């Protein structure tokens, strides 16, 4: 017991020297959460011969332990960690006065006659040593707020569970070698499930199966399941209409429901599923097919792109993706590229086109963005500048001139506003500078350039741009960039970055102007 007594004395010293505020400070947690929790106890795991011996030892040292109750959460953690199924762990609690005369306890997990490997490992690693905060009024909103505060402080989920013997839900968190327990009276199933799904192993496994999600959504798009469900068809009728095995179809649809694409058990479309309808206003149907098709195949060779710095798409298909899709219009690449149409409505809102007479959309695909601007700005004349294979497949519309060409060698002159929507991220820096210099040499000095791209955050803030940056590496050979990166490239080409505006789907609109005479 000598080692255990040293451990107990150390925890007793910690409890007596701290209160709720100081515990929060040690973990870097926002002190405002002190209104919703209090320092409840410090805990250690010890290895007595018997629980009775431990109780006698505690009383000799001035502690008054209560009745031992079975542990559930720590017992299960130890069993999983060491591969046992039959160990018994008891919990004893004894009152201790914390700093400021606030009531607190020491919690002791006792594993009598422990297997030697567990005792040696746990004495060395102290996996179960922790301090605990009791949630004062546990409810879903308070628990969500507390776990968010802990996440912002850099604590990561480290297991948890419900102990029916004491009717409490516990959530464990870790920050380096420190462990914190959040205790809530009662059974909080939703909070516990959410917490356990945030554990590193669960999260990594979910990420590793992301390819399954891609294919499930792509197959749903291929079979047009969303269209059938929108018509009110039963799963039996959908199976007949799609020529699929009904049982297999049900299994796919259950998986889609778990992803939030469908709503079970009767299978209805959710807001996500509605986007897979071919007749949806902002349909992502074509994009789902593309991401589950050619891009999916090339992403399987991401290692090639990382090792060589060259896109794996050309490695897989033998040519750059622009040439590949130009030869295969049936794959719907241009239609898929227009799928992010939810950003288009915002462009005319964040930029004032009222003084523009001619808007030139450079490499504008099927003209979806330009068409929207023409719809909301009836005084504007549009010029859609694209590759000949794209222009040849488009219908002409009023107030829009279709011009075929290559923007790396020149662009139409005389525009008031030039658009580069999701173009620069397709190219490396040298090619981008060439494109921008072509624009600077063709644009009137009072014209404006609008660039629409996803911006990489300067820090690690969440953004779709990180994923798309790897996508560009793998499938296109380009890259996403930070605001400063674009600012530098624009300056080198003779532009100044005048303003930026946020758009949906983590896009941004960068507004640039000619900075100096550009005839060099």
């Amino acid at each position: 017991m000598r080692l255990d007594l040293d451990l107990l004395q150390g925890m007793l010293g910690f409890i007596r020297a701290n209160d709720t505020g100081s515990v929060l400070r040690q973990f870097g947690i926002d002190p405002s959460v002190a209104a919703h929790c209090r320092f409840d106890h410090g805990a250690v795991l010890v290895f007595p011969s018997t629980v009775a011996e431990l109780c006698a030892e505690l009383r000799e040292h001035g502690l008054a332990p209560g009745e031992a109750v079975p542990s559930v959460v720590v017992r299960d953690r130890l069993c999983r960690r060491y591969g046992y199924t039959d160990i018994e762990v008891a919990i004893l609690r004894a009152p201790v006065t914390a700093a400021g005369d606030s009531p607190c306890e020491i919690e002791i997990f006792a594993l009598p006659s422990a297997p030697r490997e567990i005792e040696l490992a746990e004495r060395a690693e102290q996996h179960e040593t922790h301090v605990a905060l009791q949630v004062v009024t546990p409810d879903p909103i308070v628990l969500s707020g507390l776990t968010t505060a802990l996440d912002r402080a850099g604590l990561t989920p480290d297991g948890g569970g419900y102990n029916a013997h004491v009717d409490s839900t516990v959530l464990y968190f870790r920050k380096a070698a420190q462990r914190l327990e959040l205790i809530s009276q009662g059974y909080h199933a939703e909070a516990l499930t959410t917490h356990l799904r945030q554990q590193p192993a669960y999260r990594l496994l979910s990420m590793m199966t992301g390819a399954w999600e891609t294919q499930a959504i792509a197959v749903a798009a291929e079979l047009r399941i969303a269209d059938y469900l929108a018509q009110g068809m039963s799963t039996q009728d959908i199976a007949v209409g799609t020529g699929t095995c009904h049982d297999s179809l049900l299994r796919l649809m259950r998986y889609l429901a778990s992803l939030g694409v469908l709503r079970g058990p009767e299978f209805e479309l959710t807001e996500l599923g509605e986007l897979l309808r071919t007749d949806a206003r902002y349909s992502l149907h074509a994009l789902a097919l593309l991401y589950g098709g050619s891009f999916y195949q090339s992403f399987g060779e991401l290692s090639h792109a990382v090792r060589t710095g060259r896109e794996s798409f050309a490695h897989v298909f033998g040519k750059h993706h622009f040439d590949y899709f130009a030869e295969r219009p049936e794959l719907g690449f241009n239609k898929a590229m227009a799928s992010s149409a939810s950003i288009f409505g915002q462009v005319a809102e964040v930029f004032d086109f009222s003084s523009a007479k001619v808007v030139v959309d450079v490499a504008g695909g099927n003209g979806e963005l330009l068409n929207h601007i023409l719809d909301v700005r009836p005084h504007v004349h549009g010029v859609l500048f694209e590759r000949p294979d794209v222009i040849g497949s488009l219908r002409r519309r009023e107030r829009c001139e279709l011009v075929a060409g290559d923007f790396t060698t020149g662009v139409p002159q005389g525009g008031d506003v030039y658009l580069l929507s999701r173009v620069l991220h397709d190219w490396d820096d040298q090619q981008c500078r060439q494109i921008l210099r072509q624009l600077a040499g063709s644009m009137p000095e009072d014209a404006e350039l609008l660039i629409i791209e996803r911006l990489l955050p300067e820090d690690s803030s969440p953004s779709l741009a990180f994923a798309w940056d790897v996508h560009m590496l793998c499938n296109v050979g380009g890259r996403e960039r930070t605001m400063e990166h674009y600012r530098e490239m624009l300056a080198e080409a003779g532009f100044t970055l005048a303003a930026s505006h946020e758009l949906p789907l983590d896009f941004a609109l960068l507004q640039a102007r000619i900075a100096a005479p550009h005839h060099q």
Side-chain angles (χ1 to χ4, degrees):
M1 278 291 292
R2 181 67 260 167
L3 292 175
D4 291 341
L5 289 174
D6 290 344
L7 183 61
L8 287 164
Q9 290 294 343
M11 182 55 73
L12 287 169
F14 177 89
I15 295 171
R16 290 165 176 154
N18 286 279
D19 58 14
T20 302
S22 62
V23 168
L24 295 175
R25 285 193 295 273
Q26 290 184 47
F27 282 92
I29 301 169
D30 187 336
S32 66
V33 308
H36 302 287
C37 60
R38 63 174 180 81
F39 183 24
D40 183 79
H41 68 258
V44 293
L45 173 64
V46 299
F47 302 91
S49 299
T50 65
V51 172
E53 177 194 51
L54 173 62
C55 290
E57 192 75 34
L58 293 173
R59 282 191 286 268
E60 285 185 15
H61 285 80
L63 296 175
E67 182 180 354
V69 296
S71 164
V72 173
V73 180
V74 171
R75 178 202 65 196
D76 291 347
R77 286 166 60 87
L78 292 171
C79 285
R80 287 193 299 270
R81 190 174 297 141
Y82 299 104
Y84 283 80
T85 58
D86 57 353
I87 63 175
E88 294 296 329
V89 182
I91 305 174
L92 294 99
R93 282 183 166 234
V96 182
T97 301
D101 293 328
S102 57
C104 197
E105 291 182 317
I106 184 168
E107 183 175 75
I108 305 163
F109 299 106
L111 182 52
S113 303
R116 187 64 174 165
E117 63 169 316
I118 296 181
E119 182 176 352
L120 291 175
E122 289 299 314
R123 286 193 189 281
E125 301 296 335
Q126 297 294 316
H127 289 298
E128 303 308 324
T129 298
H130 65 265
V131 295
L133 298 174
Q134 176 82 41
V135 181
V136 178
T137 53
D139 63 46
I141 296 177
V142 170
L143 285 174
S144 176
L146 287 171
T147 55
T148 298
L150 269 55
D151 176 70
R152 289 174 178 169
L155 282 82
T156 57
D158 190 37
Y162 171 71
N163 190 337
H165 298 287
V166 292
D167 187 30
S168 64
T169 300
V170 299
L171 310 178
Y172 286 112
F173 299 83
R174 179 176 291 280
K175 187 175 185 179
Q178 296 176 297
R179 291 187 68 243
L180 181 71
E181 179 185 23
L182 203 60
I183 312 168
S184 301
Q185 284 302 118
Y187 180 39
H188 301 275
E190 183 176 351
L192 179 59
T193 299
T194 300
H195 178 77
L196 294 177
R197 287 178 177 174
Q198 292 302 311
Q199 291 186 98
Y202 190 99
R203 292 171 59 193
L204 184 60
L205 189 59
S206 296
M207 294 176 189
M208 290 163 59
T209 59
W212 305 352
E213 298 181 11
T214 303
Q215 279 301 306
I217 293 170
V219 171
E222 176 189 344
L223 299 176
R224 300 199 170 190
I225 290 175
D227 288 351
Y228 285 118
L229 288 174
Q231 297 169 22
M233 294 179 62
S234 68
T235 57
Q236 287 282 2
D237 290 336
I238 295 175
V240 172
T242 56
T244 56
C245 168
H246 182 245
D247 178 67
S248 299
L249 179 66
L250 286 177
R251 293 165 68 177
L252 170 63
M253 293 175 74
R254 281 199 301 266
Y255 182 38
L256 292 168
S258 76
L259 300 177
V261 176
L262 303 181
R263 184 183 300 108
E266 299 301 322
F267 297 121
E268 300 172 333
L269 293 174
T270 63
E271 289 184 352
L272 300 183
E274 289 283 349
L275 296 174
L276 292 178
R277 291 176 57 174
T278 56
D279 60 351
R281 183 181 180 186
Y282 298 131
S283 174
L284 297 181
H285 179 269
L287 205 59
L289 293 175
L290 180 64
Y291 286 170
S294 304
F295 283 163
Y296 187 87
Q297 295 177 56
S298 62
F299 225 105
E301 294 294 330
L302 174 61
S303 175
H304 172 83
V306 174
R307 292 178 185 278
T308 66
R310 296 188 295 272
E311 71 269 22
S312 54
F313 192 99
H315 176 67
V316 173
F317 294 105
K319 57 183 63 180
H320 191 275
H321 90 286
F322 284 132
D323 296 327
Y324 179 83
F325 288 119
E327 296 172 1
R328 297 165 178 80
E330 71 278 2
L331 296 180
F333 174 77
N334 290 325
K335 184 177 181 181
M337 290 301 98
S339 293
S340 300
S342 60
I343 68 171
F344 298 152
Q346 300 287 328
V347 172
E349 295 178 10
V350 301
F351 180 80
D352 184 6
F353 286 91
S354 59
S355 61
K357 295 181 180 178
V358 178
V359 175
V360 181
D361 192 356
V362 179
N366 66 358
E368 190 74 24
L369 171 56
L370 184 58
N371 285 339
H372 179 80
I373 293 171
L374 296 178
D375 287 341
V376 299
R377 298 296 184 184
H379 68 282
V380 169
H381 177 81
V383 177
L384 179 62
F385 184 64
E386 253 294 0
R387 288 164 47 131
D389 61 282
V390 177
I391 291 294
S393 65
L394 299 179
R395 293 181 180 180
R396 296 189 176 273
R397 66 161 287 171
E398 186 180 354
R399 296 187 291 115
C400 185
E401 181 182 357
L402 304 181
V403 179
D406 180 357
F407 60 72
T408 63
T409 58
V411 298
Q413 299 183 358
D416 300 300
V417 176
Y418 285 74
L419 304 175
L420 272 182
S421 177
R422 297 173 293 174
V423 172
L424 295 179
H425 75 161
D426 290 333
W427 307 96
D428 62 28
D429 285 0
Q430 181 178 352
Q431 292 166 314
C432 284
R433 293 188 187 97
Q434 181 182 352
I435 295 166
L436 291 171
R437 290 190 183 108
Q438 289 293 339
L439 282 160
S442 301
M443 291 171 55
E445 291 187 10
D446 59 349
E448 300 211 53
L449 172 62
L450 304 184
I451 298 171
I452 299 174
E453 295 286 357
R454 286 190 173 96
L455 297 179
L456 283 171
E458 299 286 353
D459 54 20
S460 58
S461 301
S463 173
L464 292 172
F466 292 113
W468 257 260
D469 188 39
V470 177
H471 166 64
M472 303 312 292
L473 164 69
C474 183
N475 288 303
V476 185
R479 68 188 309 141
E480 305 295 351
R481 298 172 173 89
T482 64
M483 173 88 74
E484 287 306 310
H485 197 154
Y486 278 114
R487 190 192 304 276
E488 291 170 6
M489 287 199 306
L490 285 165
E492 291 174 9
F495 289 94
T496 181
L497 181 59
S500 65
H501 309 274
E502 292 185 0
L503 295 173
L505 302 178
D506 285 344
F507 281 103
L509 184 147
L510 305 182
Q511 185 177 340
R513 302 188 181 100
I514 301 292
H518 50 263
H519 301 294
Q520 301 175 2

